[in-house]
């Protein structure tokens, strides 16, 4: 299938697919006219890449999962390396959240000091 067909089948964009290919997560062959052609299994691989990205992993993190991207990435037991990468990514996200909460708290304190009123976050 061509890149547009794969993008449509997986709910992604051709640009994202080119990015995944550049990162070594998917492969294609070139037709005589230069178009990228993907085999039918590429859709499963792209869906798995997207699933892993959606849970907060990076493209570099996803490379650890290359051996299982062609099947159900959530079905089998996780490798030690995959667990290490996921645990590390979770720690990074926790640090970022803590830093953002600290920034929010400092801003709320500054607003309380400036206005003399309690500032409620807008959701």
């Amino acid at each position: 299938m061509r890149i547009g067909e794969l993008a449509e089948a997986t709910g992604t964009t051709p640009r994202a697919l080119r990015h995944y290919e550049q990162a070594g997560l998917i492969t294609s062959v070139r037709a005589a006219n230069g178009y990228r052609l993907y085999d039918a299994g590429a859709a499963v691989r792209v869906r798995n890449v997207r699933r892993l990205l959606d849970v907060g992993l990076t493209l570099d993190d996803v490379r650890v999962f290359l051996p299982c991207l062609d099947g159900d990435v959530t079905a089998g037991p996780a490798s030690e390396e995959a667990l290490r990468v996921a645990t590390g990514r979770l720690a990074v996200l926790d640090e970022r959240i803590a830093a953002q909460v600290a920034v929010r708290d400092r801003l709320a304190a500054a607003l309380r000091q400036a206005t003399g009123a309690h500032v409620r976050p807008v959701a």
Side-chain angles (χ1 to χ4, degrees), residues 3-94:
I3 195 167
E5 296 166 323
L6 181 58
E8 186 175 328
T10 58
T12 190
T13 64
R15 182 176 181 202
L17 295 173
R18 287 188 291 274
H19 192 63
Y20 300 164
E21 189 169 349
Q22 184 179 12
L25 299 174
I26 61 174
T27 59
S28 67
V29 295
R30 295 292 183 141
N33 59 5
Y35 289 173
R36 288 177 167 88
L37 297 176
Y38 300 90
D39 64 30
V44 170
R45 184 171 274 248
V46 169
R47 285 187 196 102
N48 281 324
V49 168
R50 291 179 54 83
R51 183 175 294 133
L52 293 168
L53 293 173
D54 285 347
V55 300
L57 298 180
T58 66
L59 286 178
D60 286 336
D61 295 339
V62 171
R63 282 193 192 94
V64 172
F65 295 85
L66 278 173
C68 57
L69 288 179
D70 293 324
D72 185 350
V73 75
T74 61
S79 70
E80 289 297 319
E81 188 176 13
L83 289 173
R84 181 189 56 75
V85 165
T87 301
R89 182 60 47 205
L90 182 60
V92 167
L93 292 172
D94 285 341

